[in-house]
């Protein structure tokens, strides 16, 4: 019981530390912010080229900085559009929308508003999925972690004794440890999805 509590606290602490590190590092590009910036610039009356350059100025991704450079230098939109295909939710749609808006002209702010809304909805779904699966991930961590703790705090002596018993004992020890590792891998994989 004590070991389960120690494991649970350790897993929660690791998950918190890992999530803080991921938040601090952040994704290479904030798609919602990027699309929202394009939409705001277009609503304010900026040209599509200027809206792209302004939105790309606030991002850290080198490919997006290349979009800014190309937009400001007057490169054709078919050359700029493929570089925006890296966005995780709307990459292909944004590239296609950019080419259509550049070719057809007209009001493209509404298109970028819909792309922004789609990116916001996807981000909300990811957060909701993470929140709803927290208990299942914690259970999987406990179920997968207990055998590992047993191996670390007492089971290793038994495995060593078994392996020292001869051919059959070594085979049983190797198969047992292998099954523990495979089981842990399956639990980790299930918890990750």
């Amino acid at each position: 019981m004590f070991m389960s509590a120690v494991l649970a606290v350790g897993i929660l602490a690791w998950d918190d530390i890992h999530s803080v590190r991921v938040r601090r590092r952040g994704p290479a590009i904030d798609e919602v912010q990027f699309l929202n910036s394009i939409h705001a610039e277009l609503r304010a009356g900026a040209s599509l080229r200027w809206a792209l350059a302004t939105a790309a100025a606030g991002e850290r991704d080198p490919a997006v900085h290349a979009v800014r450079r190309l937009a400001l230098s007057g490169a054709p939109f078919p050359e700029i559009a493929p570089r925006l295909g890296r966005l995780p939710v709307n990459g292909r749609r944004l590239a296609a929308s950019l080419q259509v808006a550049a070719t057809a002209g007209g009001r493209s702010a509404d298109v970028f508003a819909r792309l922004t809304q789609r990116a916001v909805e996807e981000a909300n779904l990811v957060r909701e999925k993470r929140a709803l699966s927290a208990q299942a991930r914690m259970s999987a961590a406990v179920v997968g972690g207990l055998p590992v703790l047993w191996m670390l705090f007492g089971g290793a002596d038994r495995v060593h004794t078994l392996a020292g018993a001869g051919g059959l004992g070594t085979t049983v020890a190797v198969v047992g440890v292998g099954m523990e590792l495979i089981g842990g891998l399956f639990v980790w994989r299930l918890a990750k999805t």
Side-chain angles (χ1 to χ4, degrees):
M1 185 63 152
F2 174 73
M3 294 304 286
S4 299
V6 169
L7 175 66
V9 169
I11 290 170
L12 286 174
W14 180 83
D15 191 42
D16 286 344
I17 290 168
H18 178 68
S19 64
V20 166
R21 197 174 359 158
V22 167
R23 274 194 305 260
R24 191 179 322 134
R25 186 176 56 221
I29 181 169
D30 183 357
E31 185 170 350
V32 174
Q33 179 181 339
F34 181 70
L35 292 171
N36 200 26
S37 179
I38 293 173
H39 175 252
E41 289 292 326
L42 290 173
R43 279 275 188 225
S47 69
L48 183 57
R49 187 174 297 281
W50 182 254
L52 274 173
T54 304
E59 298 298 332
R60 298 183 313 213
D61 191 321
V64 178
H65 280 292
V67 167
R68 176 179 168 76
R69 190 181 73 253
L70 289 170
L72 290 175
S73 70
F77 283 106
E79 185 179 335
I80 297 172
R83 296 182 186 262
L84 295 172
R86 296 180 50 172
L87 294 174
V89 177
N90 289 310
R92 291 185 0 209
R93 284 183 179 86
L94 178 59
S97 299
L98 183 62
Q99 289 182 354
V100 169
T103 304
R107 294 174 33 129
S108 56
D110 294 337
V111 172
F112 288 97
R114 284 192 292 274
L115 289 174
T116 302
Q117 182 178 359
R118 186 171 184 272
V120 167
E121 289 171 357
E122 182 67 26
N124 288 339
L125 284 174
V126 167
R127 274 194 301 276
E128 186 176 335
K129 177 184 173 188
R130 182 135 176 94
L132 291 174
S133 66
Q135 193 272 334
R137 287 183 288 117
M138 184 61 173
S139 295
V142 170
V143 168
L146 285 177
V148 172
L149 281 177
W150 177 81
M151 284 292 287
L152 292 175
F153 297 110
D157 291 337
R158 292 186 180 138
V159 171
H160 186 298
T161 303
L162 195 59
L168 185 58
T170 303
T171 303
V172 169
V174 168
V175 168
V177 170
M179 289 174 68
E180 289 289 339
L181 292 175
I182 290 171
L185 181 64
F186 277 126
V187 168
W188 174 76
R189 182 70 181 127
L190 287 172
K192 198 170 165 85
T193 58

